[in-house]
Amino acid sequence: MQATISYIKEKTGNFIPDIALVLGSGLGEFTKNLDGITLPYGDIPGFKTSTVKGHNGSLFFTTLFDKKIVVMQGRLHFYEGYELSDITYPVKIFKMLGVKTLILTNAAGSLREDFKPSDLMLISDHINFTCKNPLIGKNDDTLGERFPDMSNIYTDSLRDLAKKCAAESEIELKEGVYVMTTGPSYETPAEVKMFGILGGSAVGMSTVPEAIVSNYLGLKTIGISLITNYASGISKEKLSHNEVVEVGRIATKKFTKLINAIINKIEV
Ligand code: HPA
């Protein structure tokens, strides 16, 4: 970790970010017109590189509304074959760099008819259906406690802020429970039905490990899903990754506007 931190500090001129933002599938355009410093994951000691189409795989350091931000352009997924400790390594690094707030975004399939493709969903809570936990292994007591409470992962005050920002920007923001599966196969209709009965609103293949570690480290956390499709069985259409990327492309403007509004209003 010290090697990672030293490398980042050297390359960014001791940049101390307040906020970390993780961009999900098809949402990589967020940084398009921003000036900043890009560090490809492959160059950062301790970082693994992402293999997914539509994910860039770099850290981007920039300043927005007087707030210093580190953006993860492309995240790692469990289905790529990484350990959960690899996936969540950047979150630990963010904490050590000085980050106080983590904004997680993703693409997800809707488990309910009233959450439509291109809707944005604020994550109120999650169900970890991978049944694997990123905190398994020897605990580093300097980072967090062995049995951390998870009753308020997605910080209430930030959820209130997101709702306020959405209302002011006239963006409809749904709110619900995110279910994570390992992927990479999409769900069966029977699984989708079960997730709905269990209280899920949307299903995806990311975010939960990062959110668990973020909460463990004491970071404030906010999660927003872009609904890219109805999950299997809710609509009769077959699912394709291209559809996920395409809806991401269409909804990018709305998403960017909301994230900008939230970053603008967050107190650091
Ligand atoms: N299922 C799982 N992950 C997803 C989906 C889905 O329907 N859409 C986008 N990511």
Side-chain angles (χ1 to χ4, degrees), residues 38-66:
T38 302
L39 303 181
Y41 295 156
D43 294 349
I44 307 174
F47 268 59
K48 301 270 181 345
T49 51
S50 167
T51 60
V52 184
K53 203 172 136 192
H55 288 253
N56 290 329
S58 50
L59 288 187
F60 181 76
F61 296 82
T62 191
T63 302
L64 248 186
F65 309 110
D66 282 338

Side-chain angles (χ1 to χ4, degrees), residues 107-110 181 185-187 203-205 228-232 239 244:
S110 170
T181 67
S185 56
Y186 287 116
E187 303 69 38
V203 57
M205 306 171 191
T228 49
N229 57 281
Y230 284 116
S232 169
L239 301 188
V244 171

Side-chain angles (χ1 to χ4, degrees), residues 108-122 172-177 192 196 199-202 225-231 233-235 254:
S110 170
L111 298 169
R112 339 171 5 154
E113 273 174 28
D114 55 339
F115 285 19
K116 303 176 300 298
S118 97
D119 277 352
L120 294 173
M121 184 189 90
L122 184 62
E172 193 194 356
L173 185 60
K174 303 279 206 315
E175 187 170 24
V177 173
V192 166
S201 317
S225 295
L226 167 63
I227 304 295
T228 49
N229 57 281
Y230 284 116
I234 300 224
S235 99
K254 176 169 76 169

Side-chain angles (χ1 to χ4, degrees), residues 47-235:
F47 268 59
K48 301 270 181 345
T49 51
S50 167
T51 60
V52 184
K53 203 172 136 192
H55 288 253
N56 290 329
S58 50
L59 288 187
F60 181 76
F61 296 82
T62 191
T63 302
L64 248 186
F65 309 110
D66 282 338
K67 278 144 211 169
K68 291 188 170 161
I69 301 170
V70 53
V71 183
M72 270 190 94
Q73 297 176 306
R75 60 148 63 80
L76 305 177
H77 298 85
F78 190 60
Y79 61 72
E80 293 176 86
Y82 298 117
E83 300 295 332
L84 290 182
S85 54
D86 293 328
I87 293 167
T88 53
Y89 184 76
V91 179
K92 292 182 183 165
I93 294 300
F94 296 155
K95 163 85 181 185
M96 291 173 88
L97 285 172
V99 163
K100 301 280 184 289
T101 302
L102 177 65
I103 304 174
L104 296 165
T105 67
N106 61 48
S110 170
L111 298 169
R112 339 171 5 154
E113 273 174 28
D114 55 339
F115 285 19
K116 303 176 300 298
S118 97
D119 277 352
L120 294 173
M121 184 189 90
L122 184 62
I123 301 177
S124 57
D125 201 350
H126 72 225
I127 296 174
N128 181 4
F129 217 83
T130 69
C131 300
K132 304 219 167 36
N133 196 294
L135 301 175
I136 287 175
K138 194 171 181 303
N139 189 52
D140 182 344
D141 294 335
T142 62
L143 295 180
E145 59 185 307
R146 174 74 292 188
F147 300 109
D149 171 63
M150 292 283 147
S151 55
N152 187 21
I153 296 183
Y154 303 93
T155 317
D156 285 340
S157 57
L158 287 179
R159 275 161 56 206
D160 289 345
L161 179 77
K163 287 179 211 168
K164 204 170 138 220
C165 290
E168 280 170 12
S169 308
E170 296 183 354
I171 293 170
E172 193 194 356
L173 185 60
K174 303 279 206 315
E175 187 170 24
V177 173
Y178 178 86
V179 180
M180 179 186 175
T181 67
T182 64
S185 56
Y186 287 116
E187 303 69 38
T188 64
E191 287 163 349
V192 166
K193 194 170 170 194
M194 174 186 69
F195 291 149
I197 292 168
L198 292 180
S201 317
V203 57
M205 306 171 191
S206 69
T207 301
V208 164
E210 295 100 313
I212 291 172
V213 171
S214 181
N215 189 54
Y216 161 77
L217 296 168
L219 298 178
K220 289 185 187 163
T221 310
I222 178 167
I224 299 176
S225 295
L226 167 63
I227 304 295
T228 49
N229 57 281
Y230 284 116
S232 169
I234 300 224
S235 99

